[in-house]
Amino acid sequence: YLPVKGEIYVTTFNTGTITRISTAATPTLLGTITGSGTWGIDLVEYSATKVFIVNSASNTTTVINPTTNVVSATITTTNLVSSITLNSNVASLHNGMLILSGSGGIGMINPATNTLVAAANNLGSLLNTGAKIIYNSTLNLYLYCDIVLNQLTYISPLAATTFTISFYTTNLNKVSNIIHDPTNSVYIVSTLNLTTTAATYPASVILNIIDTTTRLSLRQVITTSSVLSAVYQVGYLTAGTSGNIFVSGGGSLLTNEI
């Protein structure tokens, strides 16, 4: 979703085509954008003229000009194609930079120059695959969902293009998505109802409520959304406009509103 332009971008798995949909009361198709990477999985609307989309299948990040609806640049971001977020804290060492996560750990793009200024870094093997990353501007922290190590990793800026780990919330099985709720000072993360000894599917998506100050889990909510097989292993979260959350499981057609 692009709030500045007021459009929805829908990516396709293998064609690099993006479908544009209006957000009017009666949504309509507005056209397509071609030439993007394949399997666009996450985006940041950086400005009125730059949208950055990470493409999981092509190991690239596409830059799109939403005013002209054309691809303006393609950046090679090997092993950094799971998620992308913007550092929006003017007091931060990384202010204005785009932070990426993926199988290689964490990295950085300078959006002013469309260049990768920090390649994939697992911070001394302390990171594995980051399925989702977000930025908490108030605390100047990146929240990194490590789907392999089953933990939420708290990462801080160390220098202009480097990072350091400050904390972990552990025992989050297949943690794959996160939403920050600043009103209630909690993170809401999705995990799967699996055990380490018996990964049986379908598996229910569990919402874990984590306190932003203590970084401890406050409660869990087991949803009726399920991940259908080990191929997907992802619980998707989307924040609504009225305090609600939409939850779905990879490979499933069912979405819960909570």
Side-chain angles (χ1 to χ4, degrees):
Y1 172 58
L2 280 63
V4 174
K5 193 174 184 186
E7 289 184 6
I8 296 170
Y9 277 9
V10 180
T11 61
T12 53
F13 173 74
N14 59 357
T15 66
T17 299
I18 298 168
T19 301
R20 299 167 47 232
I21 301 175
S22 75
T23 55
T26 303
T28 57
L29 294 176
L30 301 175
T32 59
I33 300 171
T34 59
S36 184
T38 49
W39 203 348
I41 199 168
D42 199 10
L43 64 78
V44 163
E45 187 179 20
Y46 174 71
S47 69
T49 58
K50 283 189 175 185
V51 173
F52 291 78
I53 301 177
V54 289
N55 307 300
S56 182
S58 59
N59 260 318
T60 60
T61 297
T62 301
V63 187
I64 293 174
N65 185 333
T67 62
T68 59
N69 298 314
V70 297
V71 173
S72 56
T74 299
I75 309 165
T76 299
T77 49
T78 304
N79 299 328
L80 291 170
V81 287
S82 293
S83 186
I84 185 169
T85 191
L86 171 67
N87 183 312
S88 55
N89 184 342
V90 295
S92 174
L93 292 168
H94 296 172
N95 178 45
M97 297 293 106
L98 295 172
I99 311 303
L100 302 90
S101 69
S103 61
I106 193 168
M108 181 187 298
I109 286 175
N110 183 336
T113 58
N114 297 336
T115 54
L116 185 69
V117 294
N121 187 342
N122 63 16
L123 303 185
S125 299
L126 296 176
L127 299 178
N128 207 296
T129 299
K132 180 71 176 179
I133 190 168
I134 65 170
Y135 178 62
N136 183 331
S137 179
T138 302
L139 299 178
N140 193 26
L141 276 176
Y142 305 110
L143 291 308
Y144 183 99
C145 295
D146 198 317
I147 196 171
V148 175
L149 297 182
N150 300 316
Q151 60 194 21
L152 182 62
T153 305
Y154 300 76
I155 303 173
S156 303
L158 179 62
T161 59
T162 56
F163 309 85
T164 186
I165 293 174
S166 58
F167 199 79
Y168 304 94
T169 299
T170 58
N171 299 316
L172 298 172
N173 207 349
K174 298 299 179 185
V175 57
S176 59
N177 219 312
I178 181 170
I179 292 174
H180 177 208
D181 178 358
T183 301
N184 295 299
S185 300
V186 294
Y187 303 119
I188 303 164
V189 302
S190 64
T191 60
L192 297 186
N193 190 17
L194 297 170
T195 68
T196 56
T197 56
T200 304
Y201 293 89
S204 299
V205 177
I206 299 176
L207 298 185
N208 296 261
I209 315 301
I210 298 173
D211 187 281
T212 58
T213 302
T214 65
R215 301 171 185 176
L216 299 175
S217 183
L218 302 176
R219 65 174 300 183
Q220 292 183 328
V221 178
I222 300 177
T223 75
T224 55
S225 290
S226 296
V227 169
L228 298 188
S229 77
V231 173
Y232 303 103
Q233 296 190 349
V234 175
Y236 296 102
L237 302 180
T238 302
T241 57
S242 304
N244 51 346
I245 297 173
F246 297 93
V247 186
S248 60
S252 173
L253 298 178
L254 175 67
T255 297
N256 287 160
E257 181 180 359
I258 296 175

